C-alpha cells in the first residue's frame, strides 16, 4: 500500500504476530494453520486460513484488538 497510515498499522500488526509466534515457540505450544483448500495460497502467494496458537483463534484475536480488518467480498 502507498497509504503510510495503513502501512504503519501493518507493521504494528506484524510485530504483534511475531511476538505471539516467539512466545508460543518458547512455551512449546502448538501453532496450527487451518485452510479450506489443498493449496492455501491466495493470488499474491500468501497463505489463507485460520491461525491457532494453543487453541486460540489468532484471526479473531487480531480483529478484536483492531490489528486486522475482516475481508468482505
Amino acid at each position: 500500500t502507498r497509504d503510510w497510515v495503513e502501512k504503519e498499522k501493518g507493521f504494528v500488526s506484524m510485530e504483534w504476530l511475531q511476538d505471539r509466534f516467539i512466545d508460543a515457540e518458547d512455551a512449546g505450544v502448538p501453532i496450527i494453520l487451518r485452510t479450506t483448500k489443498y493449496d492455501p495460497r491466495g493470488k499474491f502467494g500468501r497463505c489463507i486460513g485460520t491461525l491457532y496458537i494453543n487453541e486460540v483463534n489468532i484471526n479473531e484475536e487480531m480483529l478484536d484488538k483492531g490489528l486486522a480488518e475482516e475481508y468482505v467480498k
Side-chain angles (χ1 to χ4, degrees):
T1 180
R2 293 182 180 164
D3 181 334
W4 289 103
V5 173
E6 186 176 311
K7 191 176 287 283
E8 179 62 29
K9 288 180 181 180
F11 288 135
V12 169
S13 296
M14 183 175 60
E15 185 176 332
W16 180 88
L17 187 57
Q18 287 173 338
D19 289 344
R20 288 298 308 257
F21 272 109
I22 291 168
D23 292 345
E25 189 174 59
D26 289 348
V29 298
I31 300 171
I32 299 168
L33 176 64
R34 291 199 177 126
T35 63
T36 58
K37 297 181 179 181
Y38 176 73
D39 183 357
R41 291 174 292 192
K43 69 179 183 178
F44 296 109
R46 297 173 291 196
C47 286
I48 309 296
T50 305
L51 180 65
Y52 294 89
I53 296 179
N54 203 25
E55 300 183 20
V56 174
N57 184 324
I58 300 304
N59 300 42
E60 288 180 1
E61 187 173 355
M62 291 183 78
L63 287 170
D64 292 344
K65 292 182 179 296
L67 296 168
E69 294 181 15
E70 188 172 359
Y71 175 73
V72 180
K73 286 185 179 183

